[in-house]
Amino acid sequence: PQGSCRLCTVEVSENGKTQMVTACNYPVREGIKVETHSERVVQARRILVELLLARCPQVASIQNLARELGVKKSRFKTENPENDCILCGLCVRTCDEIVGANAIGFSKRGTQKKIGTPFEVDSDRCNACGACEYICPTGAVRMEMDRTRKIKRSDTGTRRYCRYMRLGLLDF
């Protein structure tokens, strides 16, 4: 877990100190007290959901979270209502750590931050395995099938299959 979405924010108390941390990557220790639904935690999650709702207003999972937390609409400005990427980084980590291709990554900063290939050109490192599309929680990553077919066909005309396709994790 990377903790970039911050939706798993909890309040941890230890030795009289209280702090807000991400539960997914905070180390468990003896003697800590974890509050998962304190007023402070719920308020923080509402703000995070508002930010995600402003970034990706059409994503069903974000809309469901907003409904659960009582957020009716975001007070933040929506730049691109067609955007579905919540910048969780799962696709980047999968491409790097599991596939080993390192074909995509984060670029730009702040509100302009996005995920894509280096210099926004087709990456030679991409082997069209589709693992990024499979792991994406919002469906923002979509394989271009024409490009996928071109990549999977080698110079000799034989088809090349990614190991994840052979394992049955992905179905093209």
Side-chain angles (χ1 to χ4, degrees):
Q2 191 173 0
S4 60
C5 74
R6 313 210 63 77
L7 288 174
C8 64
T9 297
V10 294
E11 194 172 7
V12 173
S13 301
E14 184 177 23
N15 300 328
K17 281 188 352 183
T18 301
Q19 62 181 345
M20 301 288 281
V21 298
T22 52
C24 67
N25 60 4
Y26 190 78
V28 176
R29 291 192 294 270
E30 196 68 39
I32 63 172
K33 180 182 174 194
V34 180
E35 293 285 336
T36 59
H37 286 81
S38 69
E39 184 56 40
R40 189 174 171 204
V41 169
V42 172
Q43 185 59 31
R45 286 189 187 146
R46 282 185 185 129
I47 293 170
L48 291 166
V49 167
E50 276 189 64
L51 287 166
L52 288 172
L53 201 55
R55 179 172 176 78
C56 312
Q58 304 301 322
V59 175
S61 56
I62 301 300
Q63 291 171 349
N64 292 340
L65 279 171
R67 233 183 330 278
E68 285 176 25
L69 290 168
V71 175
K72 293 184 180 16
K73 70 177 227 175
S74 178
R75 61 186 134 169
F76 303 104
K77 182 180 175 189
T78 300
E79 295 288 327
N80 179 6
E82 302 300 315
N83 189 9
D84 289 343
C85 181
I86 60 172
L87 298 174
C88 65
L90 286 174
C91 58
V92 174
R93 290 186 66 207
T94 299
C95 186
D96 180 32
E97 297 171 14
I98 296 174
V99 179
N102 202 15
I104 57 175
F106 289 102
S107 63
K108 302 188 181 181
R109 295 177 186 219
T111 58
Q112 302 301 312
K113 188 174 186 178
K114 63 181 186 173
I115 293 175
T117 59
F119 308 108
E120 298 181 7
V121 296
D122 285 349
S123 176
D124 292 338
R125 305 190 103 203
C126 178
N127 62 10
C129 68
C132 54
E133 179 182 40
Y134 179 78
I135 199 74
C136 181
T138 64
V141 179
R142 294 175 198 88
M143 297 295 289
E144 297 173 7
M145 292 313 287
D146 290 340
R147 176 165 159 54
T148 303
R149 286 187 192 96
K150 184 169 67 174
I151 289 174
K152 286 185 185 168
R153 201 155 299 272
S154 70
D155 295 336
T156 61
T158 57
R159 289 179 61 79
R160 207 172 49 158
Y161 292 100
C162 168
R163 64 179 172 210
Y164 297 99
M165 285 176 60
R166 285 198 301 265
L167 290 173
L169 295 174
L170 299 168
D171 183 25
F172 283 102

